[in-house]
Amino acid sequence: MRSLRRIYGLLLTLYPRKYRDEYGEELRIVFDLSLDDAMASGGLAVARVALRELASLPKAIIHEHLRERRKAKMVRRFGTYFD
């Protein structure tokens, strides 16, 4: 279980820095709690939780990077109205 937590923690570094600073600890805590609940149910439940989280992670990471990009563009455009 420690290795799953470590891998998940490493994958969280792929999120944008701002997002990771704000939500990284919360994401890690939720994953740990989900894993603890799954361990009480058995090995198959642990595998299911791990696969679900690892499968949804790439989409969430890409989404957050695109969101950060859009926010940066909006700030630049907004500033040009006043120049």
Side-chain angles (χ1 to χ4, degrees), residues 12-13 15-30 64 67-68 71:
L12 288 180
T13 61
Y15 277 103
R17 182 176 302 270
K18 283 183 181 179
Y19 185 85
R20 189 174 61 236
D21 290 344
E22 189 168 343
Y23 300 109
E25 189 64 29
E26 184 179 341
L27 288 170
R28 186 173 289 140
I29 289 170
V30 169
E64 287 306 319
R67 189 169 156 257
E68 287 291 321
K71 282 172 42 178

Side-chain angles (χ1 to χ4, degrees), residues 38-54:
M39 284 180 6
S41 298
L44 187 59
V46 172
R48 194 174 18 229
V49 166
L51 286 175
R52 182 187 67 216
E53 290 295 325
L54 295 176

Side-chain angles (χ1 to χ4, degrees), residues 4-83:
L4 278 176
R5 289 181 173 131
R6 186 174 294 164
I7 290 170
Y8 187 77
L10 288 173
L11 290 174
L12 288 180
T13 61
L14 298 174
Y15 277 103
R17 182 176 302 270
K18 283 183 181 179
Y19 185 85
R20 189 174 61 236
D21 290 344
E22 189 168 343
Y23 300 109
E25 189 64 29
E26 184 179 341
L27 288 170
R28 186 173 289 140
I29 289 170
V30 169
F31 180 73
D32 289 345
L33 290 173
S34 297
L35 217 50
D36 291 340
D37 287 344
M39 284 180 6
S41 298
L44 187 59
V46 172
R48 194 174 18 229
V49 166
L51 286 175
R52 182 187 67 216
E53 290 295 325
L54 295 176
S56 65
L57 203 59
K59 181 180 175 185
I61 291 169
I62 291 169
H63 176 75
E64 287 306 319
H65 276 285
L66 292 174
R67 189 169 156 257
E68 287 291 321
R69 227 178 191 181
R70 279 194 309 264
K71 282 172 42 178
K73 278 185 182 178
M74 285 178 22
V75 168
R76 273 186 292 188
R77 283 187 193 157
F78 186 75
T80 60
Y81 291 128
F82 298 108
D83 288 341

